Amino acid sequence: MRKRHGGVLGIAQPLHTLHLYGAAGVASFGWALSRLLAFPCDRLLPLWFFGALLVYNLDRLKHDPADALNTPERLRQHGRLRAVSIALVVISALLLVALPVLADDPLLLLLTAAAALVSLSYSFQLFGFRCKDLPAIKTLFAPTIVLGAYLLPSWIRGALPLDAHFASAAAWSLCLLMFNMVLCDLRDIVGDRAVGTKSIPVLLGEKSTRRLLLVLLGLQFILALANGWVLLGCLSVIYLAALLLAIRTRQREGFYEWFVEGILFLPAVTEAWKHFAG
């Protein structure tokens, strides 16, 4: 039994170490949002996936002393897969250029390049500083950039009207993405404090951060109901509440890599359920 369990873990480990699982979650979230807001995503879907692969693998290739305290197992596994991670960075970068070019879409190429540049400023000093080092920005950065990647291209093209439904859907998405990020930064609070990274959990402290997570849980539920997304709102409440109950005790890294990242799949799960049930 132990050998079989280890074999399963050995196969699954690279999926989150190389952020393949997380990138799939980012893409699936965008796909579900495109269905909820009725905008086309055929050209955007692969860009969301490969963009997430590029940014996260580059971040993991950049040495961060907090990782040794926050995610030592992932750091160790990534060391073994470093060559594969570099290959994914190269492949993702090439595809992020090639896909808009092949689609003869210069606007999408420009937006993709701008998004990649801004995203890389999280880990690298492209503008004289790293966004990761700015107070609170460490937590706010990823949810904001991801939400922009979902909505801005279609809004610029006029496929998404800037109305109350757009605003409430964007706010709901931000609540869910922020819940994911705040929960991960709460896990990383010890390492971030040690190296001086001022994430929102570091600034607020653990008790106030848990209150913030409850607020985000409640807001996403209210916003989901306001948009008529009853199934999605209920599923999200149950899933997020279960995560909050689980972190009352210390959890392994795998809990965050699989279950907390699993938040990103919730909208796609409900959309798939509606499709097959209807």
Side-chain angles (χ1 to χ4, degrees), residues 179 217 220-221 230-245 266:
F179 190 99
L217 185 154
Q220 74 80 28
F221 182 63
V230 178
L231 176 62
L232 180 54
C234 292
L235 176 63
S236 298
V237 162
I238 294 169
Y239 195 89
L240 301 186
L243 292 178
L244 288 179
L245 287 173
L266 292 176

Coordinates of all heavy atoms in Angstrom, one line a residue, residues 179 217 220-221 230-245 266:
F179 N -9.5 35.3 -1.9 CA -9.6 34.3 -0.9 C -8.4 33.2 -1.1 O -7.7 32.9 -0.1 CB -10.9 33.5 -0.9 CG -11.2 32.6 0.2 CD1 -12.0 33.1 1.3 CD2 -10.7 31.4 0.3 CE1 -12.3 32.2 2.4 CE2 -10.9 30.5 1.4 CZ -11.7 31.0 2.4
L217 N -15.6 35.4 2.0 CA -16.5 34.3 1.8 C -17.9 34.8 1.7 O -18.7 34.4 0.8 CB -16.4 33.3 3.0 CG -17.2 32.0 2.9 CD1 -16.5 30.9 3.7 CD2 -18.6 32.2 3.4
Q220 N -18.5 37.0 -1.6 CA -18.7 36.2 -2.8 C -20.0 35.6 -2.9 O -20.6 35.4 -4.0 CB -17.5 35.2 -3.0 CG -17.6 34.0 -2.1 CD -18.5 32.9 -2.6 OE1 -18.8 32.8 -3.8 NE2 -19.1 32.1 -1.7
F221 N -20.6 35.1 -1.7 CA -21.9 34.5 -1.7 C -23.0 35.5 -2.1 O -23.8 35.2 -2.9 CB -22.1 33.9 -0.3 CG -23.5 33.2 -0.2 CD1 -23.7 32.0 -1.0 CD2 -24.5 33.6 0.6 CE1 -24.9 31.4 -0.9 CE2 -25.7 33.0 0.7 CZ -25.9 31.8 -0.1
V230 N -26.8 30.8 -8.1 CA -27.1 30.2 -6.8 C -26.3 29.0 -6.6 O -25.7 28.8 -5.5 CB -28.6 29.9 -6.8 CG1 -29.0 29.2 -5.5 CG2 -29.5 31.1 -7.0
L231 N -26.2 28.1 -7.6 CA -25.4 26.9 -7.4 C -23.9 27.2 -7.1 O -23.3 26.6 -6.2 CB -25.5 26.0 -8.7 CG -24.7 24.7 -8.7 CD1 -25.1 23.8 -7.5 CD2 -24.8 24.0 -10.0
L232 N -23.4 28.1 -7.9 CA -22.0 28.5 -7.7 C -21.8 29.1 -6.4 O -20.8 28.8 -5.7 CB -21.6 29.5 -8.8 CG -20.1 30.0 -8.8 CD1 -19.1 28.9 -8.8 CD2 -19.9 30.9 -10.0
G233 N -22.7 30.0 -5.9 CA -22.5 30.6 -4.6 C -22.6 29.6 -3.5 O -21.8 29.7 -2.6
C234 N -23.5 28.7 -3.6 CA -23.6 27.7 -2.5 C -22.4 26.7 -2.5 O -21.9 26.4 -1.4 CB -24.9 26.9 -2.7 SG -26.4 27.8 -2.4
L235 N -22.0 26.3 -3.7 CA -20.8 25.4 -3.7 C -19.6 26.1 -3.2 O -18.8 25.5 -2.4 CB -20.6 25.0 -5.1 CG -19.3 24.1 -5.4 CD1 -19.4 22.8 -4.6 CD2 -19.1 23.8 -6.9
S236 N -19.4 27.4 -3.5 CA -18.3 28.1 -3.1 C -18.3 28.3 -1.5 O -17.3 28.2 -0.9 CB -18.2 29.5 -3.8 OG -18.1 29.3 -5.2
V237 N -19.5 28.6 -1.0 CA -19.6 28.8 0.5 C -19.2 27.5 1.2 O -18.4 27.5 2.1 CB -21.0 29.2 0.9 CG1 -21.2 28.9 2.4 CG2 -21.2 30.7 0.6
I238 N -19.7 26.4 0.7 CA -19.4 25.1 1.3 C -17.9 24.8 1.2 O -17.2 24.4 2.2 CB -20.2 24.0 0.7 CG1 -21.7 24.1 1.0 CG2 -19.7 22.6 1.2 CD1 -22.6 23.3 0.2
Y239 N -17.3 25.0 0.0 CA -15.9 24.7 -0.2 C -15.0 25.6 0.6 O -14.0 25.1 1.3 CB -15.6 24.8 -1.7 CG -14.2 24.1 -2.0 CD1 -14.2 22.8 -2.4 CD2 -13.1 24.9 -2.0 CE1 -13.0 22.2 -2.8 CE2 -11.9 24.3 -2.4 CZ -11.8 22.9 -2.7 OH -10.6 22.4 -3.1
L240 N -15.2 26.9 0.6 CA -14.4 27.9 1.3 C -14.5 27.7 2.8 O -13.5 27.8 3.5 CB -14.7 29.3 0.9 CG -14.6 29.6 -0.6 CD1 -14.9 31.1 -0.8 CD2 -13.3 29.2 -1.1
A241 N -15.7 27.4 3.3 CA -15.9 27.2 4.7 C -15.2 25.9 5.2 O -14.6 25.9 6.3 CB -17.4 27.1 5.0
A242 N -15.2 24.9 4.3 CA -14.4 23.7 4.7 C -12.9 24.0 4.8 O -12.2 23.4 5.6 CB -14.7 22.6 3.6
L243 N -12.4 24.8 3.9 CA -11.0 25.2 3.9 C -10.7 25.9 5.2 O -9.7 25.7 5.9 CB -10.7 26.0 2.7 CG -10.7 25.4 1.4 CD1 -10.3 26.4 0.3 CD2 -9.7 24.2 1.3
L244 N -11.6 26.9 5.6 CA -11.4 27.6 6.8 C -11.4 26.7 8.1 O -10.6 26.9 9.0 CB -12.4 28.7 7.0 CG -12.3 29.9 6.0 CD1 -13.4 30.9 6.3 CD2 -10.9 30.6 6.2
L245 N -12.3 25.7 8.1 CA -12.3 24.8 9.2 C -11.0 23.9 9.2 O -10.5 23.7 10.3 CB -13.5 23.9 9.1 CG -14.9 24.5 9.4 CD1 -16.0 23.5 9.1 CD2 -14.9 24.9 10.9
L266 N -13.7 25.8 -9.1 CA -15.2 25.8 -8.6 C -16.1 26.3 -9.7 O -17.2 25.7 -10.0 CB -15.3 26.6 -7.3 CG -14.7 26.0 -6.1 CD1 -14.8 27.0 -4.9 CD2 -15.3 24.7 -5.7

